[in-house]
Amino acid sequence: MKAITIKDIAKKCGVGVSTVSRAINNHPDINEETRRMIMEVIKESNFIPNNSARNLKLSDTKTIGVLIKGIDNPFFQNMIKVFEEEIQNRKYTFILHRVDSSQDEVEVALELIKEKRLKGIVFLGGSFSHQEDKLQEIKIPFVLSTIAITDNVDKNLYSSVSVDDVYESKKIVDFLCDNGHKKIAILASYSTDMSISNLRLEGYRKSLRSRNIPINENLIRYTWDSPNSYSMENGYNLTKELINSKEEFTAIYAISDSMAIGACKAILESGKRIPEDYSVVGFDGLDITYYYNPSITTIRQPIEEMAKETTKILFDLINKKSKNQHKIFEGKLLVRQSTSKLDK
Amino acid sequence: MKAITIKDIAKKCGVGVSTVSRAINNHPDINEETRRMIMEVIKESNFIPNNSARNLKLSDTKTIGVLIKGIDNPFFQNMIKVFEEEIQNRKYTFILHRVDSSQDEVEVALELIKEKRLKGIVFLGGSFSHQEDKLQEIKIPFVLSTIAITDNVDKNLYSSVSVDDVYESKKIVDFLCDNGHKKIAILASYSTDMSISNLRLEGYRKSLRSRNIPINENLIRYTWDSPNSYSMENGYNLTKELINSKEEFTAIYAISDSMAIGACKAILESGKRIPEDYSVVGFDGLDITYYYNPSITTIRQPIEEMAKETTKILFDLINKKSKNQHKIFEGKLLVRQSTSKLDK
DNA sequence: TTGTATGCGTTATCAG
DNA sequence: CTGATAACGCATACAA
């Protein structure tokens, strides 16, 4: 089977290849009539230009890549739409590219940039522990969205949009403490580079310390290091363990909403009530926390605004309107049914 | 900024480009020492081969594309992993490509096939209403997974893996009826081509008819035609309407689990209980239905097996081991807390 | 307005 | 084992 090319079309139309090319790409300097004729033949022949050849030739394509690590994270689902919209509004092409948890996102990015001649790139998810020189390899504007930078890299080398995980985490633990809770368990994800988990854990510690509440290490539960450590299942298992242990606690803080849901299930299954017996809080602000029964108290990250700001920064960079920026959004504490004041 | 190419590497190494190419692609006929030397220089130079050029040149790449329509559908999340695994196990490269709801998936497929020299392709999601001649344009093996074909296309032109939506739908409505429910509301997605919704609706009608239960059209609720018609929000709104209307009903059948969750929320919010006042059932078998409170009765589609079978069929096709196949999986009725027997 | 020729970065063929 | 060189399919400068 011989694939049909632009040459075949040219031949079939009795014109030169460049004319066909011009027709395809809506060039101005082409006779409208021949253009129509060519397009007609293209339709009939089911001709589809080869993108590889095109990308190879092109020097300037208006396209933005979004690299997403952990595409199964429900947290990202709503962001994707916003990115697509924002990027297309600016007349750029939007490419979503999933990177496997075992892959190096910068490596993948570099490849994609060359292949697709990207003008800009946004990194979504994953933990970003790369050397400075590695980042400097990326010659086009990029912004890290919803990513915690672990290492001390020069802030001038990249842009970022995020929430202050420590601060927000402290906020929600503060809320629990304000409601009389002192024995607060936390479900974290244990892993060397899962920086977000560590940051939220730090917020937890900070809150307790600030109130002189002793930290009981037995109430800090880590999941196994798995690709899906923030899952409902892990939240469920950890909570089961917790309940079965002798440790006393009055509240559970799950560092992700999914884990919080798993925690709720485990509690309810054991015959206990929420929030009468245990209060539960999550983190992220997934839609499901609103729909869950009871609805779950959580910190909502303003993902739409964050996605918009991400694209804005990216395009400012592309248009040389500004230097690298770091924008931190404030999370919103959503107090719902899963938490209650503790009666002394 | 001049991008670095294979030529530069060749020059830097004092060898020919072909040798560099051989080094990169692990060709057998190359001196191991020079290979190491070249790879060293490549690392140092941060050289990354241009995929476009490569794809352009290559005639046979072992890669499979998975086209997914509605990537925000949680239903697909778990399938993706299986596809990746299965495909990589067969030493093929896996490419996930998202297609927008406004795009024509076959069009996109054709483009991707040319660009990436795909060996096979799987279509995931969306409704598939294409002309036969359009399908015949796809010259490589492909299989439709979890897609209802609306039109009467020749079964020899494609392969498919699915559940029998009418049958499964009837099954779950039968279950409700067997438990004494007669006034069963259904939350459907109304849209011309949302064939899955129509199929499930048909199963609903079939079940009721087979029991001589009159069908009350007022209990059939359609969402607005939106890109996200299967959402929790829609389930919530529809159920609100239903409750506020004068219609009596004892059970709600939501044609998706997400809608079922929305329905639950609406019911609970109105002060009613599940399943004492209303029974609720969903469809799909998302994990969340297990974790929800109450856990939700649903039909679980065996997505892992379906994804595996999909890849199996695809590779059989690629290896010419078989002709187009159509595999229908049986859904599993999961009876949980959201449903109860109706006392007369 | 249109056609011809060149090159984008790789891989493969074919001599050496 | 290695090095020139010809494609791959397209866009574009330049010539017509």
Side-chain angles (χ1 to χ4, degrees), chain A residues 84 98 115-116 291-292, chain B residues 84 98 115-116 291-292:
Chain A
E84 172 164 43
R98 165 183 172 284
E115 178 177 347
K116 302 286 192 179
Y291 288 98
Y292 198 80
Chain B
E84 172 164 43
R98 166 181 172 285
E115 177 177 348
K116 300 287 191 178
Y291 288 99
Y292 198 79

Side-chain angles (χ1 to χ4, degrees), chain A residues 11 34 38 45 51-52 59 95 106 143 147 161 163 165-166 173 177 191 202 224 241 254 272 286 311 326:
Chain A
K11 209 162 290 174
T34 52
I38 291 172
S45 320
N51 266 323
S52 287
S59 51
I95 290 185
V106 174
V143 11
I147 297 180
V161 171
V163 298
D165 283 284
V166 177
V173 178
C177 293
S191 146
E202 192 185 324
W224 292 101
E241 279 179 28
K272 301 289 186 182
L286 297 186
T311 33
H326 299 273

Side-chain angles (χ1 to χ4, degrees), chain B residues 26-54:
Chain B
N26 280 82
H27 259 73
D29 49 350
I30 181 176
N31 186 300
E32 185 52 35
E33 197 145 334
T34 52
R35 202 190 79 85
R36 241 197 302 273
M37 182 269 281
I38 291 172
M39 291 313 276
E40 182 64 26
V41 175
I42 287 178
K43 279 267 145 56
E44 276 175 14
S45 320
N46 291 302
F47 166 66
I48 293 178
N50 184 317
N51 266 322
S52 288
R54 178 175 258 166

